Amino acid sequence: MGMDMFKMIKEAASLQKNVKKIQSGLARKTVECSSGGDAVTVVAAGDGTVRSIRINPEVVSADRTAKLESLVLAAVSGALKKARDLGAEEVSKVAAGLGLPGM
């Protein structure tokens, strides 16, 4: 039983190291989401930070601000969802390598 406990502690330390590596890697990876036929494009990092928002000048006008706000919200929400999905995918890869059930 003592060896099993030692093995579990060693695997936990390995998992912690891998999670830190994943977090660092996710901060460097980006995903992109557009809305309104590329009227608004958002780039987000895998760690969930929004890196940039590009707005097509053709959609900018005083009478279309509500539409523009809606497009920005849709693109930001989509980019952040992709970033979360990317993170979950990376964690699943590590968990699968450790043979953890349910991951």
Side-chain angles (χ1 to χ4, degrees):
M1 178 114 171
M3 280 301 270
D4 289 342
M5 183 61 85
F6 178 72
K7 183 179 177 183
M8 285 177 30
I9 291 171
K10 187 175 177 181
E11 286 178 358
S14 176
L15 178 61
Q16 185 176 23
K17 180 180 175 184
N18 286 337
V19 166
K20 285 183 181 184
K21 187 185 293 185
I22 289 170
Q23 289 171 333
S24 174
L26 286 173
R28 291 188 301 271
K29 292 183 179 184
T30 59
V31 293
E32 185 175 292
C33 187
S34 296
S35 65
D38 293 333
V40 176
T41 302
V42 174
V43 176
D47 64 359
T49 58
V50 174
R51 294 280 178 88
S52 67
I53 298 174
R54 292 188 304 272
I55 299 173
N56 183 328
E58 294 174 11
V59 299
V60 179
S61 67
D63 60 335
R64 298 184 69 192
T65 57
K67 176 70 173 171
L68 181 57
E69 289 167 353
S70 175
L71 293 173
V72 170
L73 179 60
V76 168
S77 295
L80 293 179
K81 181 186 182 319
K82 286 183 178 185
R84 286 189 303 272
D85 291 347
L86 178 64
E89 181 182 316
E90 294 295 319
V91 169
S92 291
K93 288 177 189 176
V94 170
L98 295 174
L100 297 174
M103 298 203 128

